[in-house]
Amino acid sequence: MTERVIISDACVAEGAAWLIDTTPEFAPIVAQLSPLPLRLKPDGFAPLLHAILGQQVSVASANALNAKLLAADMTTAPRIASTTEEHLRTLGLSRQKARYAKALADANIDFDALRDQPTDAVIKTLTNVSGIGLWTAEVYAKFSLGRADVFAAGDLALQIGAQMIFDLPERPTDRALRAMAQQWSPWRSVAARIIWAYYGSIKQKDGIF
């Protein structure tokens, strides 16, 4: 694999400098909010399961579910595979997410091999698993594998943040934002960090984030 991988704050700073040259609107945000967050996470079964739990719920709710699974020693593929959906539901998972957790455990993903695969192949492998959509696969590639050129255009915060930064008349759709993000390649993951940082700073000021 020859794709750029983000491994340090220096990588993020390099990407931000490139983006400022191509997209001047990013300059004041980077100046105000640097250093941008690295946001790297471990890879493997447990982080991906946590990402699935975080789909369409708040961060607090996802963390609470994850804490229950940790307490019950239910964060590995063998443990999830050996239990029932009914037991997972007693730990707070919805019927749908219990089914997704079981599907992930049964998928037998080679997480070590994903580290060396192209991002497109990683996303294809992950989205073939029931319950893993494009957003979850892209977030995993971005933060657990450190891929530098991934942009989860379906993320609501990125859509709202882009609307504010670029003074768009309406919140861009997934398709529109994905097209816009092409200009930020090969540093789309850093562009996402900039937009997320801006969105977070605004929402903190508003007492919402």
Side-chain angles (χ1 to χ4, degrees), residues 47-124:
L48 183 53
L49 176 61
H50 191 188
I52 292 172
L53 297 180
Q55 294 174 158
Q56 298 181 328
V57 300
S58 69
V59 173
S61 295
N63 288 340
L65 283 175
N66 196 55
K68 290 181 179 179
L69 292 179
L70 281 169
D73 190 25
M74 282 289 166
T75 58
T76 66
R79 289 286 290 161
I80 296 289
S82 68
T83 194
T84 64
E85 291 183 20
E86 288 72 21
H87 178 61
L88 292 174
R89 293 193 67 200
T90 68
L91 299 176
L93 275 67
S94 66
R95 185 182 301 276
Q96 186 180 56
K97 289 194 174 177
R99 186 169 67 252
Y100 292 164
K102 293 284 289 181
L104 177 61
D106 293 339
N108 295 316
I109 295 173
D110 186 342
F111 288 99
D112 290 341
L114 289 184
R115 298 170 185 169
D116 298 319
Q117 292 181 5
T119 297
D120 287 347
V122 170
I123 290 173
K124 182 178 180 180

Side-chain angles (χ1 to χ4, degrees), residues 69-70 132 170 183:
L69 292 179
L70 281 169
I132 299 181
E170 58 186 11
Q183 64 187 302

Side-chain angles (χ1 to χ4, degrees), residues 1-23:
M1 187 195 74
T2 59
E3 296 178 36
R4 183 65 185 267
V5 176
I6 292 173
I7 60 173
S8 67
D9 291 324
C11 298
V12 176
E14 179 185 348
W18 186 92
L19 288 163
I20 288 170
D21 285 341
T22 61
T23 308

